[in-house]
Amino acid sequence: GRFDAAIDAYEHAVELNPGLVASWRFLAEAHRKAGSAERAKLAEANFKRLSGLPPELVAVTSMMHEGKLYKAEKICRHFLQQTPHHLEAMRLLAQIGSRLNIHDDAEFLLESALEMEPDFDLARMDYVKVLHQRQKFERAFAEARKLRERMPGNPAAELAYANQSSAMGKYDEALRVLDRL
């Protein structure tokens, strides 16, 4: 019955490791019971996305956030050998590559995933980050604008757009979006 404490604990857990499927489920339930329908909906969406993934990819997600990048990479590569073109596996491998400063491979994987599924918003979000890291600011800005158009009002999409606006020297636009956020 201590929903505020439960919510704080589960939110801290999924912040440290977004691959904790049960924590997302309990967080959604706690938000519903506390009367936070919108936040319950977001937690439920994360729970459904993760519980729909193959167990290997859930493990990869957890390992990445535990700092076990090389083990996560090995499992992810093996999974992709068995299941080529699995979009989430490609996205996860790109995230691992990005964390290991292998940005060209990460860019290629995300670009390929988006060619196969242009509506894969999580991949587009990661793609914007990788393009920014590679100092491809014009492309990053264009992708952030697409993301913002696809996800109007989404704070992560708005923040990505603001960051890329700033990188392009569009400071007034960046500040306008950030003030609204």
Side-chain angles (χ1 to χ4, degrees):
R2 294 176 33 216
F3 299 119
D4 289 340
I7 287 169
D8 287 345
Y10 286 124
E11 284 184 347
H12 184 66
V14 297
E15 182 181 321
L16 293 173
N17 185 343
L20 300 174
V21 180
S23 292
W24 283 112
R25 182 170 54 97
F26 290 126
L27 181 60
E29 184 179 318
H31 276 306
R32 265 194 299 282
K33 289 180 179 177
S36 302
E38 191 61 34
R39 295 179 81 187
K41 187 176 160 184
L42 290 172
E44 182 74 25
N46 279 311
F47 166 70
K48 286 181 178 179
R49 185 182 69 76
L50 283 171
S51 55
L53 290 177
E56 299 92 334
L57 298 184
V58 175
V60 166
T61 301
S62 285
M63 285 178 206
M64 286 172 49
H65 290 88
E66 293 169 0
K68 301 174 183 173
L69 295 179
Y70 293 107
K71 188 171 184 178
E73 178 187 18
K74 182 177 178 182
I75 292 170
C76 199
R77 284 187 186 279
H78 183 264
F79 181 85
L80 275 169
Q81 288 172 346
Q82 305 304 311
T83 314
H85 308 296
H86 190 284
L87 297 175
E88 182 64 11
M90 293 170 70
R91 185 182 82 83
L92 289 172
L93 189 57
Q95 281 187 348
I96 293 166
S98 185
R99 289 184 186 191
L100 295 172
N101 295 317
I102 309 170
H103 301 299
D104 52 342
D105 287 358
E107 180 182 353
F108 175 76
L109 282 164
L110 292 166
E111 198 171 80
S112 299
L114 287 168
E115 283 178 17
M116 288 186 260
E117 181 53 63
D119 296 340
F120 191 10
D121 295 329
L122 288 174
R124 189 166 311 279
M125 187 77 67
D126 291 348
Y127 189 48
V128 168
K129 291 175 190 172
V130 168
L131 289 171
H132 183 88
Q133 289 168 330
R134 299 200 69 205
Q135 299 182 3
K136 295 182 177 183
F137 300 125
E138 287 183 32
R139 281 181 53 205
F141 177 74
E143 293 296 327
R145 189 175 26 211
K146 282 182 199 174
L147 191 62
R148 184 178 189 223
E149 289 167 4
R150 288 193 36 76
M151 304 169 72
N154 179 290
E158 292 289 319
L159 183 59
Y161 176 76
N163 288 338
Q164 299 319 310
S165 294
S166 177
M168 292 292 295
K170 300 176 183 202
Y171 303 116
D172 289 341
E173 175 70 1
L175 288 172
R176 187 180 60 75
V177 172
L178 290 171
D179 283 343
R180 200 174 53 238
L181 282 176

